[in-house]
Amino acid sequence: MPTKQTLMTVLLAVTCATSASAQCLTDAQVSDLIANYVAKKPAANIEGLSDADGACTRAKVNSLLAQRLGKVVGYKAGLTNPAVQKRFNTDKPVWGKLYEGMVLANGAAVDAAFGARPLFEADMLVRVKSAQINQAKTPMQVLEAIDQVIPFIELPDLLVQAPPKLNGAGVSAINVGARLGVAGAPLAVPAYRAERYAFLQALADMQVSLTDGAGTRLGGGKGSDILEHPLNAVVWLAQALAQEGLAMQPGDLISLGSFSPLLPPKAGLSVTATFEGLPGAEPVRVSFK
């Protein structure tokens, strides 16, 4: 029979282990997080979450976001660029949900304070054509299951008081900062296989740039900066969603991740994203007021 001293030692060890590691946020903490999201005010920091804690918290967050924002219109793959992964001390992507009203038209004027911790980045959307996308294992298989590629400037919101304290699971917990984005003119996926191979190569080789109203370059990168090919983000996403019993549906929009550093907006700034080397891709523009 364990002695009282032994029981106290075990209890203390469990207490210390529990306090030393983060846990899935409580319902009350998630309610506070969403209240801050709605108010566009920085929320309490989220630190040290495990991947399981991040997924658990994201599910709670999305349950409350759905009550306020309504229909899910797609998903976003985040931290798909190694440079951005490094910023959040992780080596793998994360995902979140996109809701109705998050995707704005090209040329939109947006409040610089559109979120609690607003940022902008060069990104890209694809539109799902077929549920076969959920079995895609290669960029070509993704291309065969989508019907549009859409230049995009994402406007994420890292939401917490000190975003540098977020790890990858913490980014997952806040629904990967999904808030807004500006979509450019869609490009149709080529009909013929030879053209598709050329299109795939162009996606990998394209040079993506962000510039301000004076033409000064703010940042950018290459298509292959996202998981060696931007459509690999969809391959990863399909597998990640399947692990949670979810799947992409025809009509869904999928955000692939960042080709550029995350940058803060300011009133009076105009930003243009260009996708040089991708035939037919027109610039995407957003202005901050």
Side-chain angles (χ1 to χ4, degrees):
M1 182 112 180
T3 65
K4 183 176 181 182
Q5 182 62 41
T6 303
L7 288 172
M8 289 297 291
T9 302
V10 171
L11 182 60
L12 181 61
V14 171
T15 301
C16 289
T18 302
S19 61
S21 62
Q23 296 180 358
C24 182
L25 268 61
T26 66
D27 292 352
Q29 288 173 315
V30 171
S31 291
D32 286 344
L33 191 69
I34 297 303
N36 282 75
Y37 177 93
V38 172
K40 302 178 185 176
K41 294 181 179 179
N45 290 331
I46 300 173
E47 299 182 51
L49 297 188
S50 70
D51 290 346
D53 296 332
C56 169
T57 301
R58 181 190 58 221
K60 291 183 178 184
V61 164
N62 276 304
S63 178
L64 293 186
L65 284 177
Q67 294 174 23
R68 292 181 171 275
L69 303 180
K71 182 182 177 184
V72 173
V73 297
Y75 297 89
K76 64 170 292 189
L79 309 187
T80 52
N81 186 321
V84 182
Q85 289 178 358
K86 187 175 180 181
R87 174 174 174 175
F88 293 100
N89 195 30
T90 188
D91 60 357
K92 52 184 171 289
V94 292
W95 65 267
K97 292 182 177 181
L98 300 177
Y99 291 89
E100 205 164 25
M102 284 186 171
V103 180
L104 308 177
N106 199 2
V110 179
D111 286 336
F114 62 80
R117 288 285 184 259
L119 297 162
F120 64 90
E121 63 183 21
D123 196 338
M124 181 168 276
L125 299 172
V126 298
R127 190 174 73 175
V128 176
K129 177 181 71 174
S130 163
Q132 284 298 113
I133 200 166
N134 297 293
Q135 281 73 52
K137 299 294 189 291
T138 66
M140 177 59 86
Q141 289 173 352
V142 172
L143 196 65
E144 290 170 345
I146 62 176
D147 60 5
Q148 290 183 355
V149 169
I150 308 167
F152 190 52
I153 297 175
E154 200 202 347
L155 306 176
D157 178 6
L158 291 183
L159 191 58
V160 297
Q161 293 169 2
K165 293 186 177 182
L166 289 169
N167 63 7
V171 175
S172 178
I174 60 170
N175 194 38
V176 199
R179 173 72 81 166
L180 294 171
V182 178
L187 295 170
V189 171
Y192 298 105
R193 194 163 182 85
E195 293 175 329
R196 288 183 176 182
Y197 277 113
F199 192 68
L200 278 179
Q201 193 61 52
L203 283 169
D205 294 342
M206 65 184 178
Q207 296 292 330
V208 183
S209 294
L210 286 175
T211 54
D212 65 14
T216 302
R217 192 173 190 270
L218 303 174
K222 192 176 179 182
S224 57
D225 288 344
I226 289 181
L227 300 179
E228 300 183 352
H229 192 288
L231 297 188
N232 278 330
V234 184
V235 174
W236 174 86
L237 180 63
Q239 296 168 353
L241 292 177
Q243 290 175 2
E244 301 198 28
L246 298 171
M248 291 172 274
Q249 304 295 330
D252 281 350
L253 296 173
I254 310 300
S255 165
L256 305 183
S258 180
F259 298 103
S260 70
L262 294 157
L263 299 170
K266 60 182 180 181
L269 176 66
S270 294
V271 177
T272 299
T274 54
F275 299 76
E276 185 179 350
L278 184 63
E282 297 179 4
V284 189
R285 295 183 175 85
V286 64
S287 59
F288 298 106
K289 56 187 179 178

